[in-house]
Amino acid sequence: SARAAGPGRVRRHSDALRITQQREETLRTDLHQALAEGQLRLVYQPVVDLALHRTVSVEALLRWRHPVYGEVSPAEFVPLAEESALITELGRWVLAEATATVAALPHPDLAVAVNVSARHVRSGELVSDVLQALGSSGLSASRLVLEITESVLLDDEHVTDDLAALRRLGVRIAVDDFGTGWSSLAYLVGLPIDVLKMDRQFLADVETDPQRRALCSSVLHLGTSLGLVVVVEGVETATELQLLRDMGHRFIQGYLLARPLDEAALTTQLPGLGGAPVPTSAPGLPRA
Ligand code: C2E
Ligand code: MG
Ligand code: MG
Ligand code: MG
């Protein structure tokens, strides 16, 4: 009808907005009970070493099964948790759960990476929370990696002091979601870090654009020559894998090798460590 075209469209639009806001409100409230109600769990995504042909670490990733909305992505609920000290409580649980799970596996060299929110790092409680998790799980500090974002490092002295203290214990620090800029890499020199995790966007167009490929290769080599372990995340295609191999690159993570795995799958599905072998060089693929 004529009425539906004008005001109706506006109303549908504001209805959609209202539903989105309601969902956010509900999730924000329900998140406080999610832990106690057993709705949160961790899945683990392998990081593979192409030189050793096996999984060397797993990254713990939070999952929330909401009673009404079903699976809610951490990309949606972690920012809500970060609005309050709740993120520190969740972070403490993730540390305890992830270290206990990996300590119980029959793989004495496997490391576990835990994402730590900026707020948790700044809370001043991270060092004691890590010590607590290592103490109760029995996991050695050298098997724990903490993933933090770049901006946290540029914060202040208290933060870098805490990270340096964790490194002295043997814990490794990874910079997550690292971009592609040279200048940013220069900022990292001298900071207390061990691992660089290149964001998936770093692989954009490497298959087709020689300049993107050259940039990718240069940043990987620069990171490695700075003494950092460089992990490329989000590897989805065999061509991307081949290009990275041709660059002499070692550490990768992505759906091509493995999706995030349930705890029960960790004994049978880690690439090269009880699961499928890590794919070796694939003949017939376009070379760099
Ligand atoms: P992140 O730490 O950068 O994690 C990588 C994300 O990329 C994960 O999404 C993973 O499932 C996804 N991914 C892995 N391989 C591929 C691939 O080949 N292609 C594509 N397109 N994506 C891939 P997820 O699990 O949804 O996590 C999203 C973000 O949520 C994480 O990004 C992290 O920032 C945050 N997060 C997850 N778990 C935690 C946690 O326990 N604590 C905190 N503070 N943040 C968390
Ligand atoms: Mg991460
Ligand atoms: Mg990442
Ligand atoms: Mg990310």
Side-chain angles (χ1 to χ4, degrees):
S1 73
R3 281 185 67 214
R9 193 196 315 232
V10 172
R11 190 170 71 212
R12 275 199 303 279
H13 184 76
S14 61
D15 280 356
L17 184 65
R18 197 163 45 75
I19 288 165
T20 305
Q21 287 169 342
Q22 267 169 8
R23 176 181 165 106
E24 192 180 301
E25 252 328 294
T26 308
L27 293 180
R28 189 181 280 117
T29 307
D30 293 355
L31 195 49
H32 289 268
Q33 273 79 54
L35 199 54
E37 304 278 332
Q39 295 163 8
L40 296 178
R41 69 185 193 285
L42 292 176
V43 291
Y44 298 88
Q45 190 178 27
V47 172
V48 163
D49 182 341
L50 294 173
L52 296 179
H53 309 289
R54 63 170 174 84
T55 302
V56 286
S57 64
V58 290
E59 177 179 7
L61 295 161
L62 260 173
R63 294 292 179 264
W64 181 14
R65 190 171 290 142
H66 187 275
V68 174
Y69 295 121
E71 291 290 337
V72 183
S73 161
E76 184 175 10
F77 73 80
V78 166
L80 299 176
E82 277 169 341
E83 292 172 1
S84 74
L86 179 60
I87 190 65
T88 302
E89 200 184 310
L90 291 187
R92 204 173 284 140
W93 179 79
V94 172
L95 276 168
E97 176 75 14
T99 52
T101 297
V102 171
L105 293 176
H107 304 302
D109 297 326
L110 187 71
V112 62
V114 169
N115 293 282
V116 180
S117 105
R119 192 172 176 131
H120 195 178
V121 182
R122 290 174 189 138
S123 72
E125 292 168 39
L126 183 62
V127 178
S128 60
D129 290 344
V130 165
L131 284 170
Q132 172 75 46
L134 293 175
S136 358
S137 66
L139 193 81
S140 81
S142 61
R143 296 176 64 192
L144 179 63
V145 181
L146 301 178
E147 297 193 6
I148 60 175
T149 52
E150 199 180 343
S151 58
V152 179
L153 284 164
L154 310 171
D155 247 30
D156 64 34
E157 263 174 48
H158 296 295
V159 164
T160 38
D161 284 353
D162 279 3
L163 297 178
L166 287 164
R167 283 182 89 219
R168 281 193 300 274
L169 292 169
V171 173
R172 278 169 293 164
I173 308 295
V175 180
D176 203 356
D177 299 332
F178 191 74
T180 54
W182 294 93
S183 57
S184 315
L185 204 46
Y187 278 124
L188 298 181
V189 174
L191 288 172
I193 58 168
D194 306 276
V195 180
L196 266 193
K197 293 198 74 179
M198 309 302 305
D199 194 77
R200 151 136 196 94
Q201 76 162 32
F202 181 70
L203 289 177
D205 302 321
V206 289
E207 291 186 9
T208 50
D209 183 345
Q211 288 194 307
R212 294 289 310 188
R213 211 176 302 158
L215 180 70
C216 175
S217 172
S218 304
V219 174
L220 295 179
H221 287 123
L222 184 52
T224 305
S225 62
L226 288 171
L228 300 169
V229 163
V230 183
V231 179
V232 173
E233 55 179 23
V235 177
E236 290 181 355
T237 71
T239 308
E240 287 168 349
L241 173 60
Q242 189 62 55
L243 288 171
L244 290 165
R245 271 189 203 286
D246 290 344
M247 292 172 192
H249 184 70
R250 266 184 85 171
F251 300 100
I252 61 169
Q253 186 179 23
Y255 294 164
L256 179 71
L257 285 120
R259 297 253 166 188
L261 302 167
D262 286 330
E263 185 180 332
L266 289 177
T267 45
T268 55
Q269 288 187 45
L270 293 178
L273 217 57
V278 171
T280 47
S281 203
L285 283 170
R287 312 287 298 193

Short mmCIF file of all heavy atoms in Angstrom, two decimals, residues 205-245:
data_model
loop_
_atom_site.label_atom_id
_atom_site.label_comp_id
_atom_site.label_asym_id
_atom_site.label_seq_id
_atom_site.Cartn_x
_atom_site.Cartn_y
_atom_site.Cartn_z
N ASP A 205 45.34 -9.65 -0.87
CA ASP A 205 45.88 -9.46 -2.23
C ASP A 205 47.28 -10.03 -2.47
O ASP A 205 47.85 -9.81 -3.52
CB ASP A 205 45.89 -7.97 -2.63
CG ASP A 205 44.48 -7.37 -2.57
OD1 ASP A 205 43.53 -8.07 -2.96
OD2 ASP A 205 44.35 -6.21 -2.12
N VAL A 206 47.86 -10.77 -1.50
CA VAL A 206 49.21 -11.31 -1.76
C VAL A 206 49.22 -12.29 -2.93
O VAL A 206 50.23 -12.45 -3.60
CB VAL A 206 49.85 -12.02 -0.53
CG1 VAL A 206 50.25 -11.02 0.54
CG2 VAL A 206 48.98 -13.11 0.01
N GLU A 207 48.06 -12.91 -3.17
CA GLU A 207 48.02 -13.89 -4.27
C GLU A 207 48.11 -13.22 -5.62
O GLU A 207 48.59 -13.80 -6.58
CB GLU A 207 46.71 -14.72 -4.19
CG GLU A 207 46.68 -15.65 -2.99
CD GLU A 207 45.47 -16.57 -2.98
OE1 GLU A 207 44.74 -16.61 -4.00
OE2 GLU A 207 45.23 -17.21 -1.96
N THR A 208 47.64 -11.96 -5.71
CA THR A 208 47.54 -11.32 -7.02
C THR A 208 48.46 -10.12 -7.20
O THR A 208 48.81 -9.76 -8.32
CB THR A 208 46.08 -10.82 -7.25
OG1 THR A 208 45.67 -10.06 -6.10
CG2 THR A 208 45.14 -12.01 -7.43
N ASP A 209 48.86 -9.48 -6.11
CA ASP A 209 49.58 -8.21 -6.22
C ASP A 209 51.04 -8.37 -5.78
O ASP A 209 51.32 -8.58 -4.60
CB ASP A 209 48.85 -7.18 -5.34
CG ASP A 209 49.47 -5.80 -5.41
OD1 ASP A 209 50.61 -5.67 -5.91
OD2 ASP A 209 48.81 -4.84 -4.96
N PRO A 210 51.99 -8.28 -6.72
CA PRO A 210 53.42 -8.48 -6.39
C PRO A 210 53.93 -7.50 -5.33
O PRO A 210 54.81 -7.84 -4.55
CB PRO A 210 54.13 -8.26 -7.72
CG PRO A 210 53.08 -8.36 -8.77
CD PRO A 210 51.78 -7.99 -8.15
N GLN A 211 53.38 -6.29 -5.32
CA GLN A 211 53.85 -5.32 -4.32
C GLN A 211 53.38 -5.69 -2.92
O GLN A 211 54.13 -5.57 -1.95
CB GLN A 211 53.37 -3.92 -4.69
CG GLN A 211 54.14 -3.37 -5.90
CD GLN A 211 53.94 -1.88 -6.07
OE1 GLN A 211 52.80 -1.42 -6.12
NE2 GLN A 211 55.01 -1.14 -6.16
N ARG A 212 52.12 -6.17 -2.83
CA ARG A 212 51.63 -6.64 -1.52
C ARG A 212 52.48 -7.83 -1.05
O ARG A 212 52.77 -7.97 0.13
CB ARG A 212 50.16 -7.09 -1.62
CG ARG A 212 49.16 -5.98 -1.92
CD ARG A 212 48.96 -5.03 -0.79
NE ARG A 212 48.69 -5.69 0.48
CZ ARG A 212 48.34 -5.09 1.59
NH1 ARG A 212 48.20 -3.77 1.60
NH2 ARG A 212 48.14 -5.76 2.69
N ARG A 213 52.86 -8.68 -2.00
CA ARG A 213 53.67 -9.84 -1.67
C ARG A 213 55.05 -9.41 -1.16
O ARG A 213 55.56 -9.94 -0.18
CB ARG A 213 53.83 -10.71 -2.93
CG ARG A 213 53.96 -12.18 -2.65
CD ARG A 213 54.01 -12.95 -3.95
NE ARG A 213 52.83 -12.71 -4.79
CZ ARG A 213 52.77 -12.89 -6.09
NH1 ARG A 213 53.85 -13.31 -6.76
NH2 ARG A 213 51.66 -12.65 -6.76
N ALA A 214 55.63 -8.41 -1.84
CA ALA A 214 56.94 -7.90 -1.43
C ALA A 214 56.86 -7.28 -0.03
O ALA A 214 57.74 -7.48 0.81
CB ALA A 214 57.45 -6.86 -2.43
N LEU A 215 55.78 -6.55 0.24
CA LEU A 215 55.60 -5.93 1.55
C LEU A 215 55.49 -7.00 2.63
O LEU A 215 56.16 -6.95 3.67
CB LEU A 215 54.33 -5.06 1.56
CG LEU A 215 54.02 -4.35 2.88
CD1 LEU A 215 55.03 -3.25 3.15
CD2 LEU A 215 52.60 -3.79 2.88
N CYS A 216 54.68 -8.01 2.35
CA CYS A 216 54.48 -9.11 3.28
C CYS A 216 55.82 -9.79 3.58
O CYS A 216 56.22 -9.93 4.75
CB CYS A 216 53.49 -10.10 2.65
SG CYS A 216 53.22 -11.61 3.59
N SER A 217 56.54 -10.13 2.54
CA SER A 217 57.83 -10.80 2.70
C SER A 217 58.81 -9.94 3.51
O SER A 217 59.49 -10.43 4.40
CB SER A 217 58.39 -11.11 1.31
OG SER A 217 59.70 -11.59 1.41
N SER A 218 58.85 -8.64 3.21
CA SER A 218 59.78 -7.74 3.92
C SER A 218 59.46 -7.64 5.41
O SER A 218 60.36 -7.68 6.24
CB SER A 218 59.73 -6.34 3.31
OG SER A 218 60.01 -6.40 1.94
N VAL A 219 58.18 -7.49 5.71
CA VAL A 219 57.79 -7.36 7.12
C VAL A 219 58.09 -8.65 7.88
O VAL A 219 58.58 -8.62 9.01
CB VAL A 219 56.31 -6.94 7.26
CG1 VAL A 219 55.87 -6.94 8.73
CG2 VAL A 219 56.10 -5.56 6.65
N LEU A 220 57.82 -9.80 7.24
CA LEU A 220 58.11 -11.08 7.89
C LEU A 220 59.60 -11.21 8.19
O LEU A 220 59.99 -11.60 9.29
CB LEU A 220 57.64 -12.25 7.02
CG LEU A 220 56.13 -12.36 6.78
CD1 LEU A 220 55.83 -13.56 5.89
CD2 LEU A 220 55.38 -12.45 8.10
N HIS A 221 60.44 -10.86 7.20
CA HIS A 221 61.88 -10.97 7.41
C HIS A 221 62.39 -9.97 8.44
O HIS A 221 63.24 -10.29 9.26
CB HIS A 221 62.62 -10.81 6.08
CG HIS A 221 62.49 -12.01 5.19
ND1 HIS A 221 61.97 -11.95 3.92
CD2 HIS A 221 62.76 -13.31 5.43
CE1 HIS A 221 61.95 -13.17 3.40
NE2 HIS A 221 62.41 -14.01 4.30
N LEU A 222 61.83 -8.76 8.39
CA LEU A 222 62.25 -7.74 9.36
C LEU A 222 61.91 -8.19 10.79
O LEU A 222 62.74 -8.13 11.70
CB LEU A 222 61.59 -6.40 9.03
CG LEU A 222 62.00 -5.20 9.89
CD1 LEU A 222 63.52 -5.05 9.93
CD2 LEU A 222 61.37 -3.93 9.34
N GLY A 223 60.68 -8.68 10.98
CA GLY A 223 60.27 -9.18 12.30
C GLY A 223 61.17 -10.29 12.78
O GLY A 223 61.66 -10.28 13.91
N THR A 224 61.46 -11.23 11.88
CA THR A 224 62.32 -12.36 12.24
C THR A 224 63.74 -11.89 12.55
O THR A 224 64.36 -12.34 13.51
CB THR A 224 62.33 -13.39 11.09
OG1 THR A 224 60.97 -13.77 10.81
CG2 THR A 224 63.12 -14.63 11.48
N SER A 225 64.24 -10.93 11.76
CA SER A 225 65.61 -10.46 12.00
C SER A 225 65.71 -9.62 13.27
O SER A 225 66.78 -9.45 13.83
CB SER A 225 66.17 -9.71 10.79
OG SER A 225 65.39 -8.57 10.55
N LEU A 226 64.58 -9.13 13.75
CA LEU A 226 64.56 -8.44 15.05
C LEU A 226 64.54 -9.45 16.21
O LEU A 226 64.49 -9.07 17.37
CB LEU A 226 63.35 -7.51 15.16
CG LEU A 226 63.40 -6.23 14.32
CD1 LEU A 226 62.04 -5.52 14.34
CD2 LEU A 226 64.49 -5.30 14.80
N GLY A 227 64.54 -10.74 15.86
CA GLY A 227 64.58 -11.78 16.90
C GLY A 227 63.21 -12.22 17.35
O GLY A 227 63.08 -12.91 18.36
N LEU A 228 62.16 -11.80 16.63
CA LEU A 228 60.81 -12.16 17.03
C LEU A 228 60.34 -13.42 16.29
O LEU A 228 60.74 -13.67 15.17
CB LEU A 228 59.85 -11.00 16.71
CG LEU A 228 60.18 -9.68 17.41
CD1 LEU A 228 59.35 -8.55 16.82
CD2 LEU A 228 59.95 -9.80 18.91
N VAL A 229 59.49 -14.19 16.97
CA VAL A 229 58.78 -15.26 16.30
C VAL A 229 57.59 -14.60 15.61
O VAL A 229 56.83 -13.88 16.25
CB VAL A 229 58.29 -16.32 17.32
CG1 VAL A 229 57.21 -17.20 16.72
CG2 VAL A 229 59.47 -17.17 17.80
N VAL A 230 57.45 -14.82 14.31
CA VAL A 230 56.37 -14.18 13.58
C VAL A 230 55.34 -15.24 13.17
O VAL A 230 55.69 -16.24 12.54
CB VAL A 230 56.89 -13.43 12.33
CG1 VAL A 230 55.76 -12.70 11.63
CG2 VAL A 230 58.00 -12.45 12.72
N VAL A 231 54.09 -15.01 13.55
CA VAL A 231 53.00 -15.92 13.21
C VAL A 231 52.06 -15.21 12.24
O VAL A 231 51.61 -14.10 12.54
CB VAL A 231 52.20 -16.35 14.47
CG1 VAL A 231 51.04 -17.28 14.09
CG2 VAL A 231 53.11 -17.00 15.50
N VAL A 232 51.78 -15.83 11.11
CA VAL A 232 50.79 -15.26 10.19
C VAL A 232 49.45 -15.94 10.47
O VAL A 232 49.36 -17.17 10.42
CB VAL A 232 51.18 -15.44 8.72
CG1 VAL A 232 50.05 -14.98 7.80
CG2 VAL A 232 52.46 -14.66 8.41
N GLU A 233 48.43 -15.17 10.84
CA GLU A 233 47.14 -15.76 11.14
C GLU A 233 46.18 -15.59 9.97
O GLU A 233 46.39 -14.78 9.08
CB GLU A 233 46.55 -15.22 12.44
CG GLU A 233 46.42 -13.73 12.53
CD GLU A 233 45.81 -13.29 13.86
OE1 GLU A 233 45.87 -14.04 14.85
OE2 GLU A 233 45.25 -12.19 13.90
N GLY A 234 45.14 -16.42 9.95
CA GLY A 234 44.12 -16.31 8.91
C GLY A 234 44.53 -16.89 7.57
O GLY A 234 44.04 -16.45 6.53
N VAL A 235 45.42 -17.89 7.58
CA VAL A 235 45.80 -18.55 6.32
C VAL A 235 44.65 -19.46 5.89
O VAL A 235 44.30 -20.40 6.61
CB VAL A 235 47.11 -19.35 6.48
CG1 VAL A 235 47.45 -20.08 5.18
CG2 VAL A 235 48.25 -18.43 6.90
N GLU A 236 44.05 -19.16 4.76
CA GLU A 236 42.84 -19.87 4.32
C GLU A 236 43.04 -20.71 3.07
O GLU A 236 42.28 -21.64 2.81
CB GLU A 236 41.68 -18.88 4.09
CG GLU A 236 41.14 -18.27 5.37
CD GLU A 236 39.97 -17.32 5.11
OE1 GLU A 236 39.65 -17.06 3.94
OE2 GLU A 236 39.39 -16.84 6.11
N THR A 237 44.01 -20.34 2.24
CA THR A 237 44.15 -21.05 0.95
C THR A 237 45.53 -21.71 0.81
O THR A 237 46.52 -21.26 1.40
CB THR A 237 43.95 -20.10 -0.25
OG1 THR A 237 45.08 -19.23 -0.34
CG2 THR A 237 42.68 -19.28 -0.12
N ALA A 238 45.55 -22.76 -0.03
CA ALA A 238 46.81 -23.46 -0.31
C ALA A 238 47.80 -22.53 -1.00
O ALA A 238 49.01 -22.65 -0.81
CB ALA A 238 46.53 -24.69 -1.17
N THR A 239 47.29 -21.60 -1.79
CA THR A 239 48.18 -20.65 -2.47
C THR A 239 48.87 -19.73 -1.47
O THR A 239 50.07 -19.47 -1.56
CB THR A 239 47.40 -19.82 -3.50
OG1 THR A 239 46.67 -20.71 -4.35
CG2 THR A 239 48.33 -18.97 -4.35
N GLU A 240 48.09 -19.23 -0.49
CA GLU A 240 48.70 -18.40 0.57
C GLU A 240 49.79 -19.18 1.29
O GLU A 240 50.88 -18.66 1.55
CB GLU A 240 47.63 -17.95 1.57
CG GLU A 240 46.69 -16.88 1.03
CD GLU A 240 45.46 -16.65 1.93
OE1 GLU A 240 45.22 -17.45 2.86
OE2 GLU A 240 44.74 -15.67 1.68
N LEU A 241 49.49 -20.44 1.60
CA LEU A 241 50.48 -21.28 2.29
C LEU A 241 51.74 -21.43 1.45
O LEU A 241 52.86 -21.28 1.96
CB LEU A 241 49.87 -22.66 2.59
CG LEU A 241 50.84 -23.71 3.16
CD1 LEU A 241 51.44 -23.24 4.48
CD2 LEU A 241 50.11 -25.04 3.35
N GLN A 242 51.57 -21.68 0.16
CA GLN A 242 52.73 -21.86 -0.72
C GLN A 242 53.56 -20.58 -0.81
O GLN A 242 54.79 -20.63 -0.75
CB GLN A 242 52.27 -22.30 -2.12
CG GLN A 242 53.42 -22.72 -3.02
CD GLN A 242 54.18 -23.92 -2.47
OE1 GLN A 242 53.59 -24.96 -2.19
NE2 GLN A 242 55.48 -23.78 -2.27
N LEU A 243 52.87 -19.44 -0.91
CA LEU A 243 53.59 -18.16 -0.97
C LEU A 243 54.41 -17.95 0.29
O LEU A 243 55.57 -17.53 0.24
CB LEU A 243 52.60 -17.00 -1.16
CG LEU A 243 51.94 -16.89 -2.54
CD1 LEU A 243 50.82 -15.84 -2.52
CD2 LEU A 243 52.99 -16.52 -3.60
N LEU A 244 53.81 -18.25 1.44
CA LEU A 244 54.52 -18.08 2.71
C LEU A 244 55.71 -19.02 2.81
O LEU A 244 56.79 -18.64 3.27
CB LEU A 244 53.55 -18.28 3.89
CG LEU A 244 52.50 -17.17 4.05
CD1 LEU A 244 51.37 -17.61 4.98
CD2 LEU A 244 53.15 -15.89 4.56
N ARG A 245 55.53 -20.25 2.35
CA ARG A 245 56.66 -21.20 2.31
C ARG A 245 57.79 -20.66 1.45
O ARG A 245 58.96 -20.74 1.81
CB ARG A 245 56.21 -22.52 1.68
CG ARG A 245 55.64 -23.52 2.62
CD ARG A 245 55.47 -24.82 1.82
NE ARG A 245 54.48 -25.70 2.41
CZ ARG A 245 54.69 -26.41 3.52
NH1 ARG A 245 55.84 -26.32 4.15
NH2 ARG A 245 53.73 -27.17 4.01
#
